[in-house]
Amino acid sequence: MSVSHERPTGPQASDPAPAPVAAGAFAPGQLLAALPEALRKLDPRVQARNPVMFVVWVGSVLVTVLAVVDPSVFAVLVAVWLWFTVLFANLAEAVAEGRGKAQAASLRATQRDTVARRLVTDAPADRDAAEEQVPCAQLRLGDLVVVEAGETIPGDGDVVHGIASVDESAITGESAPVIREAGGDRCAVTGGTTVLSDRIVVRITTRPGESFVDRMIALVEGAARQKTPNEIALTILLSALTIIFLLAVVAIAPMSAYAGTQVPLLVLTALLVCLIPTTIGALLSAIGIAGMDRLVQRNVLATSGRAVEAAGDVDTLLLDKTGTITFGNRRATALHGVGGTGTDELARAARLSSLADQTPEGRSIVELCASEHGLAPEADAAEAVAEFVPFTAQTRMSGIDLDGEVVRKGAAAAVLEWAQVADRAEVDRIVETVSDDGGTPLVVAAADAPDGRGARVLGVIELSDVVKPGMAERFAELRAMGIRTVMVTGDNPRTAAAIAAQAGVDDHIAEATPEDKLAYIRREQEGGRLVAMTGDGTNDAPALAQADVGVAMNTGTSAAKEAGNMVDLDSDPTKLIEIVEIGKQLLITRGALTTFSVANDLAKYFAILPAMFVALYPSLGLLNVMGLATPESAILSAVVFNALVIVALIPLALRGVRYRPSSAASLLRRNLLVYGLGGVVTPFAGIAFIDLLVRLVPGI
């Protein structure tokens, strides 16, 4: 049996569908593109959804009427800038939605007028079963459809027969094809993707219009976005502040009348708009949409905004060991000679026994021998025609038979029995040491004949679960944020403890069963903590459903995807950490801009009122630190600043406040220092500068 080292080849997509458009950094051109939609949002039915901006809209209408009835330069300019305030608030939301619509347009490219080959009988294994061609829209739950090379999968489902290479670039943006096969946890396929090879039979698991692509389109366009609990609570708070400021402004009229002067209704309306929290009221929706947008950029589909928000409040992360904390496959990390065998001799035998072993472990052994011992990574002419002995569950060994030399590697008990070794104390000691360190020992032996005659044990290959670079640092950052990390593995307790210590996780669950995961999540939640976890199999479904943030892999079963509240289209288990960071960034951005807005409104209150009443109460002139010229210029400057600050903060609302892992106390200090202090200082500087320009306007 010859040894082959040719790279596997397969059909490539000749015309791949376009990848989803990632919403990149904010560009000023997006403002112009979103302007028509912002104008459409001036509809009072749309404005009524946002209590704060609805008050501004009503005030704009009122001031416009007053400007028409009693025209003046001041009245017209105030009316114009109040309408700009409403428009700019709409613009923030329209820009956020526009970025999503660009992604939706790309996603729609995956939804073609595909005709499905539906089986008439329920016999997926029968290649001669009768078929009928129907439009995708007519497919129903449970229908069986046949998809062959070059055809588009008509809907979301599970492969029930066959195996095929699938191009998912239309959904994930990843050009490398993936394997989908019947049975196991890699059977799920997504509508709109393309089969590159072979033939599969898919059982449809979603109704028309409810596929992942449909849900992603609705999500990124904002149609499916519902306000999260924190967002609703903040809206209630902003509404309460608006009512308080409304009562305060209303009280000014009788108080000024009692003092012998009259404050015009136009001035009171403008003052109200300047004092209510218009900044955060205008940007709140855009912040939520942008947070969902950042998830979609990373190919994560959230079924609700609540899940994104919960990700920012997570206290405990449950992470699978394999593929998340460690690389997906064990790798050769060391060679241990026995009986006086040198490492060079052991390396030569280990390489020979692994030349035709195409498992990840086998390839890693060849790579180790090549990198550390200078051996050729490819088979020479004599080795290429040697007889390869594959691994079987019965022998628990593999190797190679050369002329005059036989080499075997495998489980310690199996190789030692094959080699008929009498004194195995040294081998047992090394095997036990490797196991205690969390590794997997493979014993290597050489003999004169395939039956083990003249065998000699050469040493032990150590296979290790290699922790991914930087994982310990990321866990340390999570710990600084107060998030507890828990490694879940099916390994024995000794191995699990060794890997957990190396990775730096806070806790681990060894020999984990689905019941163990579910019980652990419930215990954490009983203590008032929020839990996030990933999973891909049907046995993960109960835990995914119980977790506050359950991230199902797109390659997993339909049961897992239905149980979770997020689906990772890239099927990358480490993305759970990114999801938590996105949730944190969403909450931090909302908190930072709320802090800025409240401080901003408070500063405007003390900036405007002294200038307004300095004529009535001359002593207030001491508080007019900005030297505003007249009450009219003060009001107009504040209205202009109020509108422009919304535009200035749109990029920050869309990009999000930069995320730095730190404690809640540290985040609070930073918010108060940067955004609280900034919210106080900015209005004084901005209104003073605008006042200098307003003085130049005739009639003010």
Side-chain angles (χ1 to χ4, degrees), residues 103-117:
Q103 290 177 302
S106 176
L107 289 170
R108 281 197 177 94
T110 67
Q111 292 186 315
R112 305 172 181 138
D113 295 330
T114 307
V115 176
R117 296 167 53 189

Side-chain angles (χ1 to χ4, degrees), residues 312 473-474 476-483 580-589 592 652 656-671 673-675:
E473 290 76 9
R474 297 192 77 173
E477 291 177 354
L478 292 171
R479 194 174 298 111
M481 296 157 46
I483 297 176
V580 170
E581 292 177 352
I582 292 171
K584 288 284 186 186
Q585 186 181 33
L586 173 64
L587 296 179
I588 290 170
T589 302
L652 182 61
V657 174
R658 184 179 178 185
Y659 168 76
R660 296 186 184 92
S662 56
S663 64
S666 175
L667 286 174
L668 179 61
R669 285 194 300 269
R670 184 166 67 109
N671 266 6
L673 180 63
V674 177
Y675 298 98

Side-chain angles (χ1 to χ4, degrees), residues 33-44 46-47 87 90 101:
L35 189 57
E37 181 62 26
L39 291 171
R40 283 191 288 270
K41 288 179 178 289
L42 292 175
D43 186 332
V46 176
Q47 295 301 311
L87 181 64
N90 294 341
K101 288 177 180 178

Side-chain angles (χ1 to χ4, degrees), residues 185 512-518 533 535-544 557 559-560:
D185 293 338
T513 64
E515 292 76 16
D516 293 334
K517 297 179 186 178
L518 185 59
M533 73 160 288
D536 58 3
T538 300
N539 60 352
D540 291 323
L544 286 171
T557 61

